[in-house]
Amino acid sequence: QVQLVTSGGGLVQAGDSLRLSCAVSGRALLTYAVAWFRQAPGKEREFVATMYWNGAYKAYDDSVKGRFTISRDNPKNTVWLQMDDLKPEDTAEYYCAAGRLATSKESDYGTWGQGTQVTVSS
């Protein structure tokens, strides 16, 4: 099955930028959408951004719209999440996911990476 390896997290100050990377490998059926989710301590996992691998469609949660950008590099089979103007409320463990449909629902994604921690200090 497809495997996702997430990296790029770190500790930054409010207003700084980070770029997260999700390396995609392995075989999978009906894996045409990729997405980013995040989960802060004591909170439910929430949707961040999604796109189809062909780049025809992208969507973002309102909380990150205008600050975050999802993109992919086909030759390298890599998905990125560029995060600009980071805020303390962005602090969370970030997960890359792959599935059939580019939606905001966790249930539409069958494969998940291990996650990477992003901490934004005030």
Side-chain angles (χ1 to χ4, degrees), residues 77-92:
N77 292 322
T78 300
V79 182
W80 291 298
L81 183 68
Q82 177 66 42
M83 304 183 293
D84 296 322
D85 191 25
L86 283 162
K87 305 178 184 299
E89 50 263 42
D90 295 318
T91 295

Side-chain angles (χ1 to χ4, degrees), residues 9-65:
L11 174 63
V12 299
Q13 295 188 138
D16 286 351
S17 297
L18 279 175
R19 188 176 73 168
L20 305 183
S21 176
C22 175
V24 182
S25 63
R27 297 179 297 171
L29 295 176
L30 301 177
T31 304
Y32 303 125
V34 291
W36 291 94
F37 289 77
R38 65 186 181 185
Q39 186 169 25
K43 297 183 179 180
E44 296 182 347
R45 187 172 296 181
E46 66 177 1
F47 167 76
V48 176
T50 187
M51 69 178 295
Y52 283 106
W53 192 254
N54 63 15
Y57 171 80
K58 295 182 180 181
Y60 300 88
D61 185 77
D62 287 341
S63 66
V64 305
K65 191 176 299 182

Side-chain angles (χ1 to χ4, degrees), residues 107-122:
S107 60
D108 286 330
Y109 301 91
T111 304
W112 295 78
Q114 290 298 108
T116 186
Q117 180 67 37
V118 173
T119 302
V120 184
S121 63
S122 60

